[in-house]
Amino acid sequence: MKRIFPNYTYGPAPRANCWWDQTAPAPDWPALTGDTRCDVAVIGGGFTGITAALRLARAGLSVTVCEAGPPGFGASGRNGGFCCLGGGKISNTALTRHFGAEGRRAYRAAEVAAIDLVAHQLDSHGIDADTHSEGETLIAHNARVPRDFARDAETIAEDYGVEPRIHSAAELDGMGMRMAGAHGAITTPRGFALNPRKYLFGIANAARAAGATLSSDTQITAIEPQGDGQVLYHARGRLRADRVIIATNGYSSDNLPDWLAARYMPAQSSVLVTRPLTDDELTAQGWSSHQMSYDSRNLLHYFRLMPDRRMLFGMRGGILSSPGVEAAALRRVRKDFETMFPAWSGVETPFGWSGMVCLARNQAPYIGAVPGRPGLHAALAYHGNGVAMGSWAGHMIAGDLLGDDPAAVPAAMRRDPGHFPFGRYRRIVVPAAYLGMRLADL
């Protein structure tokens, strides 16, 4: 394995204190043993891999999902649970320049379709994932940001077919969304929040019911072509498959396959969850809304009051990884939490963890075949918005294997992501980028 973070990052320690583990028991996915065979092998048991497996199994193909750790180990089992617009950071200007106005519309329509897919999977499979929130609210962290809200509202309406709502700082207080340093907000009524573990295990149960084989503790260490198919190697044997889907996102390896090398950038995100808040504590802070929210910083904070009245608060992390760095990152998150919600400075945050999001140099997800490796397909790089876009990417990459119309995936998501500079040492570019974003956030 050629991963760019140390082994600690990919082990159990960063997620050892994850709140979601307390909310739903892990299912039994037996590890693969011996030599086995299937039509399609899926590497990665998160939203992408499980959604792909579900669609393929329902179409009658034999599917085996290989998850390197226990069920829910990766980003899908430890994220913030925001099912929202996004999946990339590419601008409308760049979309129009490279793909035309129609390409831009197709890309934005895919963001909406991704949310709708998650809603459909919850409904059709009867999954209770503690959903809440009417869309998402962006809170301005300085007085400059609201000056663009009217223009932003026009763009949102054009891109997503909804009418956003603009709020003054005073109105936020009346909405139960009082936060230190807030200068107004804009709400886009698309999306909702959920418990990611309950959602993941719900669609996993549906995939198993459809005939998919789900295996945990089955890390694939190599993929080799053999005849018309592929051979995947793991610690206890081999898995032969006609085709393979790579769905490992921020937990990818630069040599699985070699094409991935430097085409993705893992980045850390850290999360805290409080104990349940009392009525008096909610009143003291003035935050009682269950709206999923984030601030307007480039290095943003994201937060939401969950149905059990625990507050979830997260932010982007750094480029180093070790026990000491992990502890320091959680202290930094806690400091920002207390700054933004000062009335809760004495509230305990007994749960804290981190996970890896995945970025691409062209700032868009990739969904498609692996060039030069017939039979291999990949879907990754959701830029911290993997609940919706990761699910949709899995659905669409399965469609590729089933022979669906390839035009269903926007051209921007078919384009080669390009290489980050410095190869396996590409994390070296992140400090300068983060510094630039911090300065822009002042």
Side-chain angles (χ1 to χ4, degrees), residues 45-389:
F47 301 135
T48 300
I50 296 298
T51 301
L54 173 57
R55 184 174 185 184
L56 293 168
R58 294 183 73 179
L61 297 180
S62 61
V63 186
T64 299
V65 175
C66 301
E67 168 57 54
F73 176 78
S76 297
R78 61 176 96 181
N79 66 53
F82 284 50
C83 179
C84 56
L85 298 165
K89 299 297 184 183
I90 190 168
S91 68
N92 278 344
T93 300
L95 284 169
T96 303
R97 180 172 66 249
H98 293 292
F99 307 103
E102 186 59 34
R104 167 190 165 181
R105 286 191 290 270
Y107 185 95
R108 298 306 177 196
E111 294 181 61
V112 176
I115 294 171
D116 292 344
L117 173 67
V118 176
H120 172 73
Q121 296 205 125
L122 291 169
D123 182 63
S124 62
H125 301 300
I127 302 168
D128 182 1
D130 306 329
T131 57
H132 59 96
S133 184
E134 182 191 357
E136 57 185 340
T137 299
L138 180 149
I139 299 177
H141 78 284
N142 63 37
R144 299 190 307 273
V145 173
R147 299 171 191 167
D148 294 328
F149 276 169
R151 184 183 63 192
D152 294 342
E154 292 179 0
T155 301
I156 291 167
E158 180 182 355
D159 283 345
Y160 304 120
V162 294
E163 292 298 326
R165 301 185 297 274
I166 297 173
H167 320 287
S168 68
E171 288 171 333
L172 286 177
D173 285 359
M175 296 163 58
M177 299 180 73
R178 184 189 303 146
M179 187 187 83
H183 292 263
I186 184 169
T187 293
T188 302
R190 287 282 192 195
F192 51 89
L194 50 65
N195 179 317
R197 186 173 172 95
K198 290 182 178 180
Y199 168 54
L200 176 64
F201 292 165
I203 57 175
N205 289 339
R208 292 183 75 171
T213 297
L214 309 184
S215 61
S216 63
D217 299 313
T218 304
Q219 184 175 69
I220 301 302
T221 56
I223 310 170
E224 294 180 357
Q226 186 177 89
D228 293 333
Q230 311 289 328
V231 178
L232 292 75
Y233 294 85
H234 56 88
R236 294 170 297 275
R238 296 172 295 180
L239 170 62
R240 288 178 170 82
D242 296 330
R243 288 172 288 182
V244 177
I245 294 173
I246 311 295
T248 44
N249 207 38
Y251 293 83
S252 296
S253 174
D254 276 12
N255 62 341
L256 205 67
D258 291 340
W259 175 81
L260 275 179
R263 280 188 166 88
Y264 67 100
M265 177 77 80
Q268 292 167 293
S269 191
S270 300
V271 183
L272 295 176
V273 168
T274 71
R275 60 162 169 77
L277 295 159
T278 66
D279 289 340
D280 288 346
E281 287 166 338
L282 295 174
T283 299
Q285 177 55 50
W287 189 286
S288 57
S289 171
H290 291 278
Q291 187 74 357
M292 60 179 181
S293 307
Y294 61 105
D295 67 15
S296 55
R297 291 175 173 87
N298 290 292
L299 293 173
L300 60 83
H301 303 87
Y302 52 93
F303 38 93
R304 61 186 177 97
L305 184 65
M306 297 187 286
D308 61 0
R309 306 212 296 188
R310 296 176 185 269
M311 189 69 165
L312 178 149
F313 184 89
M315 62 181 289
R316 292 290 177 261
I319 65 163
L320 301 177
S321 181
S322 70
V325 170
E326 179 79 7
L330 291 175
R331 287 195 298 270
R332 186 171 65 250
V333 180
R334 174 71 199 202
K335 179 181 177 182
D336 286 6
F337 169 75
E338 293 181 2
T339 298
M340 296 168 66
F341 300 97
W344 294 340
S345 59
V347 171
E348 299 87 353
T349 47
F351 298 96
W353 67 93
S354 71
M356 306 297 286
V357 302
C358 184
L359 317 177
R361 190 175 186 186
N362 69 351
Q363 299 186 305
Y366 181 76
I367 304 171
V370 174
R373 290 293 304 270
L376 298 192
H377 305 261
L380 72 159
Y382 313 126
H383 298 81
N385 291 95
V387 176
M389 187 55 69

Side-chain angles (χ1 to χ4, degrees), residues 266-268 299 316-319 357 359 429-441:
Q268 292 167 293
L299 293 173
R316 292 290 177 261
I319 65 163
V357 302
L359 317 177
V429 307
V430 176
Y434 277 15
L435 176 60
M437 286 187 279
R438 288 192 182 98
L439 292 173
D441 285 339

